[in-house]
Amino acid sequence: PTVFTPDGTDAGAFYFPVVTDSDFTAICAYKGSVYFFTGHEMYQIYGTVPSNYTAQKIHNVGCIGPDGLCELDGVLYFTDGTSLYAFSGGTPGAVSGALGNLGAQDACLCPGEEMLYLLCRQAQGDRLYTYRPKNSLYYREQTDGMLRLFSYRGRPAAAAGGVLVSLCGGMDAP
C-alpha cells in the first residue's frame, strides 16, 4: 500500500493520510464533494471540517490521469483508458458502448455544447471522438496533430501544431 502525506504544510493547510494500492491520478470537486482517483479506484472525501475528514473507496473504476475527467450538464465523465464512464452519484456507468475497449494510454476530455470531446492516445495512433449524451452517439473526428484538449473562453479547443484550434467555431485567436 501507498500512504500519501505531504512533505510539509503551510500554517493554514491540513492533510490526512490515505492508503491506496496505487498512485493518485486525478482529483475533482463535483456536486459539493471532493473525489479522487487512482487508475482503478474512485474515492470520496467525507466530513465537515478538516479534523473529521475521511476518504472512502466508493467504486472499482478509476481515471487515467488529470485530463481524463470533466463535467458536462451536471454529469461527471471520466475514463480509465478502457471505457468512458458517466457518474451523477450512485454507481458510474460505462457509456463507451459501440467503441468497445478504448485502448488509451492517455486521454483528454473536454466539454462542449451538448457534447463531450474525447482525445485518446493509442498505440496505433491518436483518436478524437465526440459523444452526445442525449442520444448516446459517438462520432470519430480528425485529430490533426492535437496535443491536448481544453476550454478556452468557455469553448472547447485544442493545441495542435503550435496553434489554438477551435473545436466548435466562433472563437477569436488569443
Side-chain angles (χ1 to χ4, degrees), residues 66-73 75 77-79 84 107-120 128-133 146 148-159 164-168 171:
D67 294 328
L69 65 127
C70 74
E71 186 176 341
L72 175 67
D73 296 330
V75 178
Y77 291 91
F78 61 94
T79 182
L84 179 66
C108 282
L109 293 174
C110 184
E113 190 169 323
E114 298 183 0
M115 73 176 75
L116 181 73
Y117 292 85
L118 169 62
L119 177 62
C120 294
L128 176 65
Y129 301 99
T130 55
Y131 171 62
R132 298 177 185 272
M146 292 178 186
R148 281 286 179 232
L149 304 177
F150 56 94
S151 289
Y152 177 73
R153 296 184 181 168
R155 296 177 178 268
L164 179 67
V165 178
S166 171
L167 298 179
C168 66
M171 183 181 300

Side-chain angles (χ1 to χ4, degrees), residues 50-137:
S51 63
N52 70 8
Y53 284 169
T54 60
Q56 181 178 359
K57 182 173 92 170
I58 59 172
H59 299 293
N60 287 319
V61 294
C63 185
I64 197 167
D67 294 328
L69 65 127
C70 74
E71 186 176 341
L72 175 67
D73 296 330
V75 178
L76 180 65
Y77 291 91
F78 61 94
T79 182
D80 61 0
T82 302
S83 296
L84 179 66
Y85 296 94
F87 176 74
S88 55
T91 302
V95 294
S96 33
L99 293 179
N101 184 335
L102 296 175
Q105 299 162 337
D106 190 16
C108 282
L109 293 174
C110 184
E113 190 169 323
E114 298 183 0
M115 73 176 75
L116 181 73
Y117 292 85
L118 169 62
L119 177 62
C120 294
R121 303 247 182 253
Q122 301 168 319
Q124 66 272 26
D126 297 345
R127 300 243 168 105
L128 176 65
Y129 301 99
T130 55
Y131 171 62
R132 298 177 185 272
K134 287 187 178 180
N135 54 16
S136 300
L137 291 178

Side-chain angles (χ1 to χ4, degrees), residues 12-18 32-34 36 44-56:
F14 61 90
Y15 73 92
F16 58 94
V18 177
S33 291
V34 175
F36 63 92
Q44 184 174 4
I45 296 176
Y46 294 94
T48 55
V49 294
S51 63
N52 70 8
Y53 284 169
T54 60
Q56 181 178 359

